[in-house]
Amino acid sequence: MYFVTMLDGLGGAPYQHLETLPFALAVIRDGLIVYANPALLALVGRSREEVVGGTSFSMLSTDQQHLVAERRASRLRGDPVPDTYETVMRTATGERRVELSISLTGPETWVLVRDLSMRVANRQLLQRVATLGASLPGIHSEEEVLRRVFEGLAELELSYGYLVPDGERVWLGHAFVAIGTAAGEKRLTGQHLVDVPGTWSPMLERAWRDGSAYGEDFGWEAARFVGRDWAEPVRAHLQRVGPLRSICVRIDMEGRPRALLTVATDWLREEELPPLRLFAAQVSAALESAHTISRLSNRNTALAALSRLAAVAATAPEPRDFFEPGTEEIIGLLRCASVILMLRSEDNEELELVWSHGTTEASVAPFQRLPIRGSLVGSVVELGFPLVLQVDDFPETVREHLRAHGRTTLAMVPLQVRSRMVGALIVTFSQHRLLSALELETFQAMGAHFAAAIESHRLLQDVRGRAEELARLHTELKHAQQQVVEHERLAALGELSAVVAHEVRNPLGAIFNAVATLRRYVPGTGPAHTLMGILEEEANRLNRLVDDLLDFARPTSPQPHPIPLARLLEEAVRTATSGQPRVHVEWALEPDVPPVPVDERMMRQAFLNLALNAVQAMPHGGTLRISARRYHEYPGALIEFTDTGPGIPPELRERLFKPFFTTKATGTGLGLAIVQRTLDAHSGHIRIESPPGGGTTFQLVLPLGVDAPATQVG
């Protein structure tokens, strides 16, 4: 009627003003065609000379001519006849169904011709859409239902967009651009996983509220969706395509709106709303059925996964032994890109990243430590509620970091042990996701297993720690008891030694005096002289025993001051090797050994005892090697006495430092005991190396002390 009204307004205008009209038009007077515009001539495929002057019936199909003639006669008689009706016209490409709109303007009849052949094709296309919807029942997966829908619409060359509302935003998750709506840009055609947020347009709002909506200007709706920054480029692009119309229908699940499907072409009319509403109902029903099947399957899968996790958590000796299988279960169920575990720090002020999977060092660098107060992850821990956030929900710096590493959605659940929040479990997605209630419930249950594993490990560690502490205290007590017993034994032995030495020293003095006097009366040869020698030798041995007893009984209270080790070693070795021409001495004294704070008298005696021990181990001669160098494990000096004697059997080494233990016929068994006590008094230690092939090395380590000067031995 719009076109008829417009034609009525042109009734008195010259025919040349009608040359540019986009629709086919003929003007008839007295049953003859007096004017045909270019659009009509192109439709029938004839020249103006062939059309103008002929009857209007000549363009019609033969079996339609009498019907049109009857309508014209009824109109001329004044009978009520519809202004618009369908008929069949002969055209250059064969017969076509057309729609005729008749308007009487004075003596002239204006006939608007509308080609309906595309309408038939479009109706067939909509029938194929209905067939597509009818093929969806029986599919067991929501993803498969949507895949079938998207592929079917793409095969029909229908441009579409699948949108998922999320609060104030609407996410364009999937789209298809047909060749006819790409404005010649081949790179834009085809299916696209878009995952782009937009804003609500009026058509989307109506469809979300009412279930469906028709849009006369798709370019304007698209510009409203993309927002201010992209509005003009989108509108300019779609204007190159030509006028596009769109229909948006709502997809429902479980009685609630879930998504929107928008279809855009140049031939859509508002009368196409019912078939597309039917298609939306078919898709909704298929998704509902697939969701029910999938939910039952997912619930069984989730229960099996949780059962496996419970078994692993019960047997894992360490939390990390649980994290890996737990992560694999989460990825398998949620199809996420990465999993991150954060736990409270010891001061409970921060969250520390303790485990991640599917990440790189750079991607998790900003999340190594996060404050509980002021961060989104911290709010999950503080409030005890899960959160599913999109990348735009984060502060700008975090948002840009997530986008740079291909993350669009994060889901976080708190880890709770009884009433205590111990951390948060985070999963990330590379595509926009809205977790279902079942997925979120399963994710929380998995988080509970992570929390239980962490708490079990903590309790186990506490038990182990207490057991180890008790064992350590028991060992220390046992060692302390042994030390007390040893000290008491040594103290008693020292007191006894002092008494014995004092009591023996006086008789020994009388014996030495008697021996010296008797030698003046005993001849230089004979049995008496031999006996006098034996008596004198044994008296000297007793005297040495007394000296050792007195050294052993003397209180060990060193008076340390820095002493060059080289001088003490040279004095001790010179004394020990005096009169031993078959003992060769090698020196390996490094010049960077500083003076060591020691009691000079005590350390000289210790060095002398070690040197004598080495010399006595080589009765037929050998090499005594003396070395001194810095000790690198901590500030100190390492001194070594090495002989080439027969060595010490392993079973005797632990007894060498016991008082009165000796393997020599003339030894007192106190020399090495004095060395051990001297080393203990200087916070040093000694050890023995004696390889099977012979030879023995005594290693002494003496600490430098904090005040020891770092000067070289000169």
Side-chain angles (χ1 to χ4, degrees), residues 8 43 161 307 326 328 371 455 468-469 487 563 593 623:
D8 288 342
L43 176 65
S307 178
E328 292 176 357
E455 180 66 8
E468 290 173 358
E469 179 68 13
H487 288 164
I563 301 294
V593 180
T623 300

Side-chain angles (χ1 to χ4, degrees), residues 147 214 339 495 515 541 602:
R147 187 188 67 80
Y214 171 74
V339 179
E495 293 177 2
V515 169
R541 190 169 73 84
M602 295 174 64

Side-chain angles (χ1 to χ4, degrees), residues 143 298 301-302 305-306 308-309 326-340 386-388 409-413 425-447 450:
E143 291 79 6
N298 289 341
T301 303
L306 291 174
R308 290 192 296 270
L309 283 185
T327 297
E328 292 176 357
E329 296 289 355
I330 291 175
I331 293 176
L333 285 174
L334 301 182
R335 300 177 300 283
C336 56
S338 62
V339 179
I340 299 171
L387 280 180
V388 179
T409 303
L410 279 77
M412 300 174 281
V413 295
L425 188 61
I426 307 166
V427 294
T428 69
F429 300 88
S430 55
Q431 298 290 336
H432 172 72
R433 278 288 305 272
L434 294 176
L435 269 67
S436 66
L438 176 61
E439 288 177 325
L440 194 57
E441 178 185 346
T442 303
F443 185 28
Q444 287 181 278
M446 289 185 166
F450 272 78

Side-chain angles (χ1 to χ4, degrees), residues 281-298:
Q282 292 172 317
V283 174
S284 298
L287 285 174
E288 183 82 32
S289 175
H291 176 70
T292 301
I293 296 172
S294 177
R295 181 174 54 190
L296 294 175
S297 175
N298 289 341

Side-chain angles (χ1 to χ4, degrees), residues 597-656:
V598 297
D599 185 298
E600 184 175 359
R601 183 193 62 80
M602 295 174 64
M603 196 55 62
R604 182 187 293 110
Q605 184 63 47
F607 289 165
L608 176 59
N609 289 351
L610 289 171
L612 286 172
N613 194 73
V615 170
Q616 292 169 4
M618 300 181 291
H620 304 294
T623 300
L624 171 61
R625 189 175 188 276
I626 311 298
S627 68
R629 61 180 182 273
R630 282 184 177 271
Y631 190 61
H632 297 294
E633 292 188 13
Y634 57 81
L638 177 65
I639 304 99
E640 293 182 341
F641 289 79
T642 303
D643 63 62
T644 57
I648 302 172
E651 64 273 10
L652 299 181
R653 293 175 194 172
E654 293 184 359
R655 303 175 58 192
L656 286 179

Side-chain angles (χ1 to χ4, degrees), residues 111-323:
V111 181
L112 171 67
V113 182
R114 181 182 176 190
D115 187 359
L116 297 182
S117 58
M118 287 303 298
R119 174 181 291 183
V120 174
N122 294 338
R123 286 176 179 172
Q124 292 175 346
L125 189 147
L126 290 176
Q127 181 60 43
R128 293 173 64 187
V129 170
T131 302
L132 172 63
S135 70
L136 299 177
I139 300 177
H140 295 172
S141 164
E142 296 178 58
E143 291 79 6
E144 181 63 20
V145 170
L146 292 177
R147 187 188 67 80
R148 188 79 62 85
V149 168
F150 298 153
E151 290 181 353
L153 293 176
E155 289 176 1
L156 298 175
E157 279 294 308
L158 285 173
S159 296
Y160 67 82
Y162 185 76
L163 305 106
V164 180
D166 180 18
E168 296 181 355
R169 295 172 298 191
V170 182
W171 290 85
L172 177 60
H174 199 281
F176 174 77
V177 181
I179 296 176
T181 55
E185 297 284 349
K186 291 186 177 180
R187 62 186 178 84
L188 298 179
T189 61
Q191 296 193 52
H192 303 281
L193 287 173
V194 183
D195 202 28
V196 171
T199 57
W200 290 91
S201 71
M203 182 181 67
L204 296 180
E205 290 178 345
R206 293 196 309 273
W208 191 251
R209 181 186 65 243
D210 302 332
S212 63
Y214 171 74
E216 186 72 32
D217 188 346
F218 178 71
W220 184 82
E221 295 284 348
R224 289 291 300 270
F225 173 79
V226 298
R228 182 173 53 189
D229 295 339
W230 289 92
E232 287 305 321
V234 168
R235 187 181 291 112
H237 172 81
L238 292 177
Q239 283 176 350
R240 292 167 55 194
V241 179
L244 289 176
R245 300 171 180 83
S246 58
I247 288 179
C248 182
V249 291
R250 189 180 69 203
I251 308 298
D252 296 337
M253 276 186 60
E254 297 180 336
R256 292 179 296 178
R258 172 174 175 175
L260 294 168
L261 179 64
T262 298
V263 179
T265 69
D266 57 350
W267 54 266
L268 280 176
R269 297 293 184 273
E270 194 167 1
E271 53 264 31
E272 270 79 54
L273 272 171
L276 288 178
R277 276 201 300 263
L278 172 62
F279 179 67
Q282 292 172 317
V283 174
S284 298
L287 285 174
E288 183 82 32
S289 175
H291 176 70
T292 301
I293 296 172
S294 177
R295 181 174 54 190
L296 294 175
S297 175
N298 289 341
R299 187 175 294 277
N300 291 335
T301 303
L303 290 174
L306 291 174
S307 178
R308 290 192 296 270
L309 283 185
V312 174
T315 58
E318 298 289 339
R320 290 185 178 273
D321 298 326
F322 170 78
F323 294 162

Side-chain angles (χ1 to χ4, degrees), residues 1-195:
M1 293 305 296
Y2 167 75
F3 294 106
V4 174
T5 304
M6 184 182 72
L7 291 174
D8 288 342
L10 296 174
Y15 294 144
Q16 60 264 29
H17 290 176
L18 307 176
E19 292 291 308
T20 59
L21 290 177
F23 42 79
L25 176 68
V27 180
I28 302 172
R29 182 185 299 127
D30 298 329
L32 299 177
I33 299 173
V34 296
Y35 172 77
N37 73 343
L40 179 63
L41 297 176
L43 176 65
V44 297
R46 297 162 66 181
S47 66
R48 191 183 299 272
E49 290 74 15
E50 293 175 315
V51 174
V52 174
T55 65
S56 59
F57 305 118
S58 62
M59 294 186 296
L60 300 178
S61 173
T62 304
D63 59 351
Q64 292 289 316
Q65 291 180 4
H66 70 284
L67 296 177
V68 175
E70 290 179 1
R71 286 177 179 269
R72 182 172 182 275
S74 299
R75 181 183 295 276
L76 293 176
R77 289 195 303 269
D79 297 338
V81 178
D83 292 334
T84 301
Y85 55 90
E86 294 183 10
T87 186
V88 178
M89 177 178 285
R90 289 184 292 178
T91 69
T93 58
E95 294 186 347
R96 287 190 185 183
R97 179 164 290 278
V98 297
E99 181 184 78
L100 302 181
S101 296
I102 311 298
S103 177
L104 298 178
T105 307
E108 297 177 343
T109 301
W110 292 48
V111 181
L112 171 67
V113 182
R114 181 182 176 190
D115 187 359
L116 297 182
S117 58
M118 287 303 298
R119 174 181 291 183
V120 174
N122 294 338
R123 286 176 179 172
Q124 292 175 346
L125 189 147
L126 290 176
Q127 181 60 43
R128 293 173 64 187
V129 170
T131 302
L132 172 63
S135 70
L136 299 177
I139 300 177
H140 295 172
S141 164
E142 296 178 58
E143 291 79 6
E144 181 63 20
V145 170
L146 292 177
R147 187 188 67 80
R148 188 79 62 85
V149 168
F150 298 153
E151 290 181 353
L153 293 176
E155 289 176 1
L156 298 175
E157 279 294 308
L158 285 173
S159 296
Y160 67 82
Y162 185 76
L163 305 106
V164 180
D166 180 18
E168 296 181 355
R169 295 172 298 191
V170 182
W171 290 85
L172 177 60
H174 199 281
F176 174 77
V177 181
I179 296 176
T181 55
E185 297 284 349
K186 291 186 177 180
R187 62 186 178 84
L188 298 179
T189 61
Q191 296 193 52
H192 303 281
L193 287 173
V194 183
D195 202 28

